[in-house]
Amino acid sequence: RRVFLCFLADGAMWGAKGEEKAGGACEEWSYQLGNKDTLSLKAPKKSPLALRMVVLTMTMICGVFICSMCMKQLGSDSWSRIVKIQVAEQSCNKSLIPPSEVQFVHYPQPLNYSRKECTCTPVRFFAIISSQRSGSGWFETLLNSHINVSSNGEIFSKKERRINISSIIKTMDMVYNLDWNSSASKNECTAAAGFKWMLNQ
């Protein structure tokens, strides 16, 4: 059976069986054969709000997935390098040194060990230039008796250390950077470092 429900212009509703009257909008309803009390309506149109929610949910899931993959590729080491905070090295206070001596003091940074609390202890460089049998050995012994002075002896006694200018500079750099290891080395708190250079060398 076919039933039409029509709505008049003033909002009143009236029904008709098998016919449609002018003056109002009508919708078709149908009885089910087995049960006249139950009406089956046509499927309503899908709401655009529900569709938007589905798209938004899928976008969020894809974003989380992409972020997780990027974090895995970075790895913990790379991430730690990104957020690593570098502390600038604190410069040493030179105000206690007389202005006339500032150019003669140095702050070596040895490669073999750390100077620890003596990092800002200024170091002066020296060289004992002497000839044979002139008392240079005795003078060097006096220097090394001081707790903060290191005189490393005849470092150029071996020919390979003075064969050319490159080897000479390399040897002197090791001594003046406090990387030269000898019985006279005071290491951390050295205040003066040098060597003995004989004229025949």
Side-chain angles (χ1 to χ4, degrees):
R1 303 178 70 178
R2 300 179 68 189
V3 177
F4 290 90
L5 293 178
C6 299
F7 296 86
L8 299 178
D10 59 354
M13 183 180 68
W14 54 273
K17 294 182 180 180
E19 57 182 350
E20 181 174 356
K21 296 182 181 179
C26 299
E27 291 183 4
E28 182 180 350
W29 293 63
S30 63
Y31 286 111
Q32 290 185 358
L33 293 176
N35 187 1
K36 292 184 179 182
D37 296 330
T38 306
L39 296 174
S40 62
L41 301 174
K42 288 184 178 179
K45 294 182 179 179
K46 291 184 177 179
S47 172
L49 181 61
L51 183 60
R52 291 176 186 172
M53 292 299 295
V54 171
V55 173
L56 180 62
T57 304
M58 293 299 296
T59 304
M60 292 176 62
I61 293 174
C62 291
V64 172
F65 177 76
I66 292 172
C67 288
S68 63
M69 294 300 294
C70 290
M71 293 299 292
K72 286 182 181 178
Q73 289 180 357
L74 283 175
S76 59
D77 294 337
S78 300
W79 181 252
S80 63
R81 285 197 297 269
I82 292 173
V83 299
K84 184 178 180 180
I85 300 174
Q86 294 183 352
V87 179
E89 184 179 353
Q90 185 178 3
S91 59
C92 297
N93 184 15
K94 300 180 181 180
S95 61
L96 300 178
I97 302 172
S100 59
E101 297 184 16
V102 170
Q103 59 180 335
F104 301 115
V105 298
H106 308 274
Y107 299 91
Q109 296 180 351
L111 301 176
N112 299 328
Y113 60 91
S114 173
R115 296 190 72 199
K116 299 177 182 176
E117 70 275 3
C118 295
T119 302
C120 287
T121 300
V123 179
R124 290 167 172 80
F125 299 154
F126 65 88
I128 303 171
I129 300 175
S130 176
S131 60
Q132 300 289 344
R133 311 299 298 174
S134 61
S136 60
W138 172 79
F139 178 64
E140 188 176 41
T141 302
L142 288 179
L143 290 176
N144 283 326
S145 65
H146 194 283
I147 193 173
N148 298 117
V149 178
S150 297
S151 184
N152 296 282
E154 299 180 28
I155 61 174
F156 292 113
S157 58
K158 292 186 178 181
K159 189 175 182 180
E160 60 269 15
R161 295 176 185 165
R162 52 186 167 90
I163 193 170
N164 53 37
I165 187 64
S166 298
S167 60
I168 291 173
I169 292 175
K170 181 179 178 181
T171 303
M172 291 178 66
D173 283 344
M174 290 183 65
V175 173
Y176 288 145
N177 200 44
L178 307 183
D179 283 321
W180 190 269
N181 187 18
S182 70
S183 58
S185 299
K186 304 300 193 304
N187 295 335
E188 288 89 355
C189 289
T190 297
F195 56 90
K196 185 167 67 170
W197 200 342
M198 308 304 289
L199 294 178
N200 64 343
Q201 297 170 354

